[in-house]
Amino acid sequence: MLKILFSSEDILRTRVAPAADPVWELVLSLHLLQGRGRDPLLADWRRGVARTLRTDTAASRLRLLFALNPPRGYFPDFLTPYQSLDGFEAGLEAVRSTPADLLRRDLTRLAGETPLPAAAAALARGEPEVLRHLTDSMARYQELAIAPYWSRIRAAVEADRARRARALLDGGVEGLLTGLRPNMRWEAGMLEVLDYPDTRELHLDGRGLLLVPSFFCARTPVALVDPALPPVLVYPVDRLGGLAPEPGRGAGPATAAGSRPALAALLGRTRAAVLAATDAGCTTGEVARRLHISPAAASQHTAVLRNAGLLVSHRDRNTVLHTLTPLGRAMLDA
């Protein structure tokens, strides 16, 4: 079990990442791709990525990247820098700038658990050419395995953020932390991560905690090993159905409607308004109040939109929160 200990200052500084973190998604997807799990929601993704990697001429250059990310156990902290909050390129630049002593420390630990290719020795010395090779490999893997599916990944994370925002508004940071069950348990200033692979304590020491919702995080949340690094806890989100690649540019669902009047003509004025109301997440009761319709009518309209793949609904005790799917957002934004 991982125990994360909060002071009152830590509670004030705890927050949720502003969007899906592209570097964390990349690294955690490597673990799932190589693992033995058979999650049906990822089956098509795994088959498609494996087929792409077999036929890609640059795939052989990914060997070091795969070796650094075994399907189970430890993986290096330096691969998921805090700077990735500012985007994929910022994260890659931080990886390229990792000090040699941190590279050596992380890779020495990894080598004690899993065989590494010869290039890992040069990486541990901080040789710039090998660091560039590693980040080029990350960029190539992202292009092949993550970018075609990014819309679905982003939508799942945005739906989770809407849930966390609701918990924060209703119960403050403690309400946010309490709502992280069933994988975690909040009680008396301590967040316990259940079924964690080892037993340790993380003292935040006034730094707060960054919560990172992740599509590719498996059932157990993930924390960095080095307690001196900015505290981060990555946790899984609901995956909202299967992971299909995005349509090609110019051929996606965004062409389905050209404006809000056109959307109203397609869906009807009330359902178009319901779709717009759920842009930032909305409960059934809030839809009814905002649009001055009955709760039963709001429930019926959201059900139709959900069945059409435009909304996803998540029940939390006595409320149901509705958020847009990628298709729903594309229709709304068109």
Side-chain angles (χ1 to χ4, degrees):
M1 179 184 294
L2 173 64
K3 297 181 179 180
I4 304 176
L5 293 111
F6 291 71
S7 66
S8 57
E9 188 174 0
D10 292 314
I11 292 177
L12 291 174
R13 293 185 174 180
T14 291
R15 63 203 187 282
V16 180
D21 188 305
V23 177
W24 270 107
E25 296 295 354
L26 183 156
V27 167
L28 294 176
S29 77
L30 282 162
H31 304 167
L32 292 178
L33 184 64
Q34 300 177 88
R36 297 179 180 177
R38 291 295 178 263
D39 186 334
L41 297 181
L42 295 177
D44 288 343
W45 171 80
R46 293 178 70 158
R47 283 193 295 267
V49 171
R51 183 168 57 248
T52 299
L53 292 177
R54 282 195 300 268
T55 58
D56 184 67
T57 57
S60 61
R61 300 180 60 193
L62 304 180
R63 183 185 176 205
L64 177 61
L65 177 61
F66 274 82
L68 297 178
N69 290 280
R72 293 175 299 280
Y74 173 77
F75 63 96
D77 285 343
F78 78 86
L79 287 175
T80 52
Y82 196 81
Q83 292 87 337
S84 62
L85 271 175
D86 296 325
F88 188 58
E89 292 302 326
L92 294 188
E93 179 57 34
V95 172
R96 282 191 292 270
S97 304
T98 306
D101 59 332
L102 297 186
L103 292 168
R104 184 168 56 253
R105 181 201 63 186
D106 285 5
L107 293 173
T108 298
R109 175 168 183 156
L110 181 61
E113 300 183 12
T114 187
L116 294 177
L123 180 62
R125 294 192 296 270
E127 294 187 8
E129 183 178 353
V130 183
L131 280 163
R132 282 195 300 271
H133 167 79
L134 175 60
T135 55
D136 287 347
S137 298
M138 294 173 72
R140 182 57 178 165
Y141 177 83
Q142 194 270 348
E143 180 183 354
L144 297 175
I146 305 296
Y149 308 89
W150 189 247
S151 176
R152 175 68 67 171
I153 294 167
R154 183 180 60 193
V157 170
E158 287 178 355
D160 184 87
R161 277 178 45 80
R163 288 178 57 201
R164 306 308 165 194
R166 175 73 50 178
L168 184 65
L169 286 171
D170 291 345
V173 176
E174 293 200 355
L176 167 67
L177 296 171
T178 300
L180 293 172
R181 58 185 187 277
N183 299 316
M184 293 173 267
R185 180 171 60 221
W186 168 257
E187 185 175 357
M190 181 169 62
L191 183 65
E192 296 178 331
V193 181
L194 309 177
D195 297 325
Y196 203 73
D198 60 3
T199 300
R200 61 186 176 99
E201 292 185 353
L202 173 59
H203 294 261
L204 299 179
D205 296 327
R207 296 171 295 174
L209 181 67
L210 176 67
L211 294 163
V212 180
S214 169
F215 186 94
F216 284 109
C217 183
R219 186 173 61 90
T220 304
V222 180
L224 298 172
V225 173
D226 185 355
L229 292 172
V232 171
L233 186 67
V234 184
Y235 66 91
V237 303
D238 292 339
R239 294 192 175 120
L240 311 185
L243 192 59
E246 297 175 11
R249 292 182 182 274
T255 61
S259 63
R260 289 290 174 86
L263 186 62
L266 178 67
L267 299 176
R269 291 179 60 187
T270 301
R271 283 190 188 140
V274 171
L275 195 68
T278 56
D279 187 18
C282 198
T283 66
T284 305
E286 288 168 341
V287 170
R289 288 192 296 273
R290 290 180 186 182
L291 303 185
H292 305 290
I293 58 178
S294 70
S299 180
Q300 181 184 26
H301 287 308
T302 55
V304 171
L305 294 170
R306 182 173 60 251
N307 292 336
L310 304 180
L311 294 182
V312 62
S313 303
H314 187 279
R315 177 173 292 278
D316 186 6
R317 287 174 286 186
N318 296 326
T319 61
V320 179
L321 182 67
H322 310 285
T323 54
L324 295 175
T325 65
L327 177 60
R329 183 166 297 282
M331 293 188 69
L332 192 62
D333 293 345

